[in-house]
Amino acid sequence: MMQNVHLAPETDEDDLYSGYNDYNPTYDTEELENDTAFQQAVRTSHGRRPPITAKIPNTAATRPIATGYGSKTSLTSSLGRPMTGAIQDGVTRPMTAVRAAGFTKAALRGSAFDPLGQSRGPAPPLEAKNEDSPEEKIRQLEKKVNELVEESCIANSCGDLKLALEKAKDAGRKERVLVRQREQVTTPENINLDLTYSVLFNLASQYSANEMYAEALNTYQVIVKNKMFSNAGRLKVNMGNIYLKQRNYSKAIKFYRMALDQIPSVHKEMRIKIMQNIGVTFIKTGQYSDAINSFEHIMSMAPNLKVGFNLILSYFAVGDREKMKKAFQKLIAVPLEIDEDDKYISPSDDPHTNLVIEAIKNDHLRQMERERKAMAEKYIMTAAKLIAPVIETSFAIGYDWCVEVVKASQYVELANDLEINKAITYLRQKDFNQAVETLKMFEKKDSRVKSAAATNLSFLYYLENEFTQANSYADLAVNSDRYNPSALTNKGNTVFANGDYEKAAEFYKEALRNDSSCTEALYNIGLTYKKLNRLDEALDCFLKLHAILRNSAQVLYQIANVYEIMEDPNQSIEWLMQLISVVPTDSRALSKLGELYDNEGDKSQAFQYYYESYRYFPSNIEVIEWLGAYYIDTQFCEKAIKYFERAALIQPTQVKWQLMVASCYRRSGNYQKALDTYKEIHRKFPENVECLRFLVRLCTDIGLKEVQEYATKLKRLEKMKEIREQRIKSGRESSGSSRSKREGSAGSDSGQNSSSSSKGERLSAKLRSLPGTNEPYESSSNKEIDASYVDPLGPQTERPKTAAKKRIDEDDFADEELGDDLLPE
C-alpha cells in the first residue's frame, strides 16, 4: 500500500526541486469510483465516523498511535495515504488531533476502558436549599399570592362570587406582607409591580361582581392614582360602568371621557366601545341629541349592529322620520362577516371533503355565526316593527317601505317575516279582515312561508269558530310543510272540534314527533285523553308538561282537575295550592279550593278561600251564595245581608235575592226593616205571591191596618193563579189526546229532562217554597241554599290550545291580549 507514497528524504541535498512534477494518485478523484477499498470504507461505519479534531493543542506532537495491546505501529489509509503522526521511512511527522475518546495512556498501565467515566462513582448531592433564607420565603409567598389570584378567577368563572371575593381579599393581605418583606431585604425598586397590579385589579373586579360598588371604586382609585402603574387610566372605564349601574349617569360619562382621553388612537376598537357606552348613557339620561352624535360617529368609523339599533331608537325618541329611515338603511348595510350557507354544502362526492364539511357544519365557529345572524335578524325585525307605524302616514305604508328595503339587502328572507308581522299588527288593531287578506297573499309563496301563513289563518278561523275554513287552511299548511308542528297542532284542533278525539290525538303525536318541544301539542293530547276518559295517560301528559313549564297556571289546574275526577281530593288540593302560589289573585282557583274543603267538611278552610275569592272578584254569584249561606248557618244573618244585597245588584231581576235580604232582617229581629224591604219588593214585583204572604204575616203580627189590603191582593193573585193553572191543565189534556203514542213518550222524556234540570236549580225552587202562615220564620234554614261550584274554566277548558296560543285562554284564569307569541315564527 505504501508503494504509491513518495516522500522526499531528509538526506537528499542534491536536487532541492526534485519531486515537484511527480503525480500523487491520492488526489485522483476520477478513479475513486473504481477504488474498491475506498468504496468499502464509505459503506462501513469507518467511513461515516466524524473527523478527528484536536481538543488539546500540542499533546500529540511526535507520538505514534498506541493500540490496545501497547504496540506502536504506523497505519496507512486504504488508499496508501499516510496517517497523521505515523512513522514512515524513519521520519516522524507531527501529530494533529488523533486522540480518540477513551484511548489514553492509562490503557498502557492496565486501566479498564471507561469512556463515560462511570468508575468515578455517583455525582455529589445537590446543595440543599435554605428554606429559612429571606429570598426563599419571598419566593414562596409570591407563589402563594399568584395561586390565590388564580383560584379567585376560577371561582368567579364558576359562579361562586362569594368564594372569589374571599380569595381575592386573602391575596391582597398576603401581597401586602410580601411587599413589606421585600422592602426589608431588597431595595424598593425590586418590588414586583405587576403582581401588585394584578392583585388590586382582581380585588376590584370581585367587589364589583358582588355589587360592593363603594369598595370597588376605592380599589380602582388606588390603582389609578398610582403613577407607577402603566396604562392604569383605562380602568376608568370600569369605574364608569360602576357609576352607570348606580344610575349616577353624570359621573359615568365623566369617567368614560377621562378613559377615552387616556387611550391612544391606535386602540381603535377600545375607543369605539367607550364611545358606545357614552351614547347609551346619554340615552338613559334623555340626552338623545348627544347620543345621536356618538352613535353617528361610530357608524361612520366602524358600524355595528348594536350601535345601528341604538341610533334608530334615538331618532325614534326625537321623532325624526327621515333620519329613522336613513338609520334603518345603515343598519341593514352593516356587514355580518360570516360565511355563506353554501360553504357547508358538499360540492362533490369526495369522502374526505364530506367529512371536513360535516365536522365544521356545527362547530363552535358555525354556532357563533348562527348567533350573530340571529342577533342581526332580531335587531332588524325589532327596528322595523318600531319605526313602521311612524315613518309614514299609516303603519301599512311604513311596513311596505321596510319590506322593500329589506328585499334589496342581504336579509331577503326577513321580508316575509315582516309581512307576517304586519298581519299581527292588524290583529292587535282588531282588524281581522285585513289580517286575513295579508296572510292570504302568502298562498302563492314558497312552501315555508305558505305553511306559516296558512297556520296563522287556520288559527284565526278557529278562534272565530269557523271550523270549516280553519280545517281547509290547516290542510294547506300541513301539505305545504308536513314537518311543521304548528300546522299539525292546528289540524288536530279542527278535528278535536268535530269530536274525533282519536284522530286529533294522532295529529298531536305527529307534531310531537317532529318537535318534541311543542308544548301546545302535549297540552292538547292531555285534553284529548281527558275527553276519552283515559285519565292516567292524561295525567302523565300534564306531569310531563309541568316538568317543562314549571309555573304554567293552565297545566297546574289541569293536573288538579284530573285528580279531582279521579276522586283524589287531597292531591287535587295540593296542586291547587301550587296554582294559587303562581296566581295568588285568581278568584276561581280560590273558590275551587273552597269547594274541595267544603266537600271534605272543613268549613273554616272553605270559608277562608271563598272569602279570598270574593275579595278579588266580588261578582261571582256562586261564591256570594255560599258566603251568605255560611253566615246564616252560623247565625250571623246581619252579615249575610251585604252578600245578598250584592247578589241583588248583580241580578236585579231575580226576586229571590231581595227576598233573602228581607228574610235576613226577619231572622235578626229587625221587623220594621224587613217590612220596608217587603214593601219595596212588592212595588217592583206586584205579582209575587211569596212577598204578599210575608207582608200579610208581618202586618198581622205587628197589627198594621194595611193587612186587609195585602190580604185582598193575595187572594186575587191566588185566584188568578188557579185560573191560569186550570187553563194550562186543560190545554195539556186537549193536546195530549191529539198526540200520538210516540210523541207522548217523547213528551214524558222531556218531562224527565226538565225535572233533572230543575234538580240543578234546587236553590230557586227551595227559595220559592217559603214557609206557610202557621210555620215559624226559622223554617227557612241555610240548607235551602246550595252553594254549588261551576268549573272555573267552563266548557272552554276542554277546548284545545291552538298551535300559536301559548298563554292562558280568554276564559281561563286571566284575560290575555293577542301578542306576538300567538303566531308562530
Side-chain angles (χ1 to χ4, degrees), residues 353-639:
T353 306
N354 293 338
L355 286 174
V356 172
I357 291 176
E358 192 66 28
I360 67 174
K361 188 179 292 185
N362 200 31
D363 61 354
H364 292 294
L365 180 60
R366 178 60 175 161
Q367 292 175 6
M368 187 189 72
E369 290 178 347
R370 288 200 193 101
E371 291 174 0
R372 183 179 296 180
K373 186 176 181 181
M375 183 182 68
E377 292 177 353
K378 177 184 176 183
Y379 282 139
I380 292 170
M381 291 291 293
T382 307
K385 287 189 288 185
L386 179 70
I387 68 173
V390 296
I391 58 176
E392 298 291 346
T393 55
S394 67
F395 88 93
I397 301 175
Y399 261 106
D400 292 338
W401 181 87
C402 292
V403 168
E404 293 301 322
V405 173
V406 170
K407 283 182 178 179
S409 68
Q410 55 183 329
Y411 305 98
V412 183
E413 64 275 5
L414 290 181
N416 295 324
D417 295 335
L418 280 174
E419 290 282 359
I420 292 179
N421 275 289
K422 181 180 176 182
I424 294 174
T425 309
Y426 278 125
L427 287 177
R428 287 176 174 170
Q429 297 180 354
K430 308 300 182 184
D431 193 347
F432 294 99
N433 294 328
Q434 284 291 339
V436 171
E437 291 298 324
T438 305
L439 292 172
K440 284 183 177 179
M441 294 167 54
F442 292 95
E443 293 184 7
K444 297 181 180 180
K445 297 290 181 71
D446 61 343
S447 59
R448 186 188 68 85
V449 180
K450 184 194 300 183
S451 178
T455 301
N456 295 334
L457 285 169
S458 175
F459 162 71
L460 291 176
Y461 283 122
Y462 182 84
L463 291 182
E464 294 179 353
N465 293 328
E466 297 182 16
F467 299 124
T468 304
Q469 289 279 9
N471 186 47
S472 63
Y473 279 104
D475 289 334
L476 178 61
V478 172
N479 293 333
S480 301
D481 186 2
R482 187 71 188 183
Y483 299 99
N484 185 351
S486 301
L488 291 167
T489 303
N490 282 356
K491 177 61 179 175
N493 292 347
T494 58
V495 177
F496 185 97
N498 293 328
D500 192 350
Y501 303 123
E502 293 286 354
K503 192 173 180 181
E506 292 300 322
F507 280 108
Y508 297 142
K509 289 178 182 177
E510 186 175 354
L512 281 175
R513 284 194 294 269
N514 293 336
D515 183 6
S516 59
S517 63
C518 185
T519 55
E520 294 87 357
L522 186 58
Y523 181 87
N524 292 349
I525 285 181
L527 290 182
T528 307
Y529 285 146
K530 200 165 78 166
K531 281 287 187 181
L532 295 171
N533 203 27
R534 293 155 62 175
L535 300 179
D536 291 333
E537 296 177 62
L539 183 62
D540 185 52
C541 290
F542 290 129
L543 289 175
K544 287 180 181 177
L545 195 57
H546 175 64
I548 302 172
L549 307 174
R550 302 295 298 180
N551 295 323
S552 173
Q554 279 181 294
V555 177
L556 290 170
Y557 173 77
Q558 291 298 338
I559 295 173
N561 184 248
V562 171
Y563 274 121
E564 182 186 5
I565 297 173
M566 297 171 69
E567 299 180 355
D568 190 348
N570 293 328
Q571 283 289 338
S572 182
I573 288 173
E574 181 180 343
W575 285 96
L576 283 173
M577 293 294 288
Q578 293 188 39
L579 173 61
I580 63 172
S581 68
V582 176
V583 279
T585 59
D586 190 274
S587 62
R588 299 196 178 193
L590 291 167
S591 62
K592 186 65 178 177
L593 265 173
E595 180 197 358
L596 290 173
Y597 277 117
D598 187 25
N599 294 337
E600 292 293 305
D602 192 345
K603 294 287 185 182
S604 60
Q605 284 286 355
F607 169 75
Q608 176 185 349
Y609 288 110
Y610 271 124
Y611 182 77
E612 286 294 312
S613 175
Y614 173 79
R615 193 163 65 88
Y616 289 119
F617 185 60
S619 300
N620 191 328
I621 289 294
E622 291 82 5
V623 174
I624 293 172
E625 188 177 357
W626 191 94
L627 288 171
Y630 175 80
Y631 280 118
I632 291 175
D633 185 28
T634 54
Q635 305 299 321
F636 291 103
C637 298
E638 59 276 4
K639 289 188 176 182

Side-chain angles (χ1 to χ4, degrees), residues 223-240:
I223 302 175
V224 171
K225 290 182 179 180
N226 194 334
K227 302 299 183 183
M228 300 178 68
F229 295 137
S230 60
N231 298 325
R234 66 180 59 189
L235 291 182
K236 291 181 179 179
V237 176
N238 295 13
M239 300 176 71

Side-chain angles (χ1 to χ4, degrees), residues 158-315:
C158 295
D160 195 348
L161 302 180
K162 187 177 180 181
L163 178 62
L165 180 59
E166 291 176 358
K167 295 285 186 183
K169 288 181 178 179
D170 195 11
R173 287 190 293 266
K174 291 187 181 303
E175 193 274 334
R176 288 192 292 272
V177 174
L178 174 64
V179 170
R180 286 195 295 269
Q181 291 185 4
R182 196 181 290 275
E183 287 176 349
Q184 295 174 1
V185 175
T186 61
T187 58
E189 290 78 9
N190 295 329
I191 295 176
N192 192 347
L193 290 176
D194 293 337
L195 182 62
T196 305
Y197 180 86
S198 62
V199 169
L200 291 174
F201 178 61
N202 178 61
L203 181 60
S205 300
Q206 302 308 329
Y207 275 135
S208 179
N210 284 272
E211 298 182 358
M212 301 170 67
Y213 298 129
E215 293 83 351
L217 288 172
N218 293 334
T219 309
Y220 279 127
Q221 285 286 2
V222 172
I223 302 175
V224 171
K225 290 182 179 180
N226 194 334
K227 302 299 183 183
M228 300 178 68
F229 295 137
S230 60
N231 298 325
R234 66 180 59 189
L235 291 182
K236 291 181 179 179
V237 176
N238 295 13
M239 300 176 71
N241 292 338
I242 292 175
Y243 283 122
L244 184 65
K245 291 177 183 178
Q246 293 179 332
R247 299 187 179 182
N248 192 346
Y249 300 125
S250 59
K251 278 198 172 183
I253 293 173
K254 174 184 175 182
F255 276 89
Y256 285 144
R257 285 176 169 169
M258 290 169 63
L260 193 64
D261 293 338
Q262 296 185 9
I263 293 177
S265 58
V266 293
H267 301 289
K268 180 180 177 182
E269 186 175 354
M270 185 70 176
R271 292 178 61 86
I272 286 175
K273 288 182 178 179
I274 296 175
M275 292 176 65
Q276 183 175 344
N277 286 6
I278 293 174
V280 171
T281 311
F282 277 132
I283 288 180
K284 289 183 176 292
T285 57
Q287 301 177 31
Y288 299 112
S289 58
D290 295 328
I292 288 171
N293 293 333
S294 297
F295 294 140
E296 284 283 6
H297 180 68
I298 297 173
M299 291 297 287
S300 63
M301 294 179 61
N304 64 75
L305 293 168
K306 288 185 179 179
V307 174
F309 182 73
N310 288 336
L311 183 60
I312 293 174
L313 290 180
S314 303
Y315 282 130

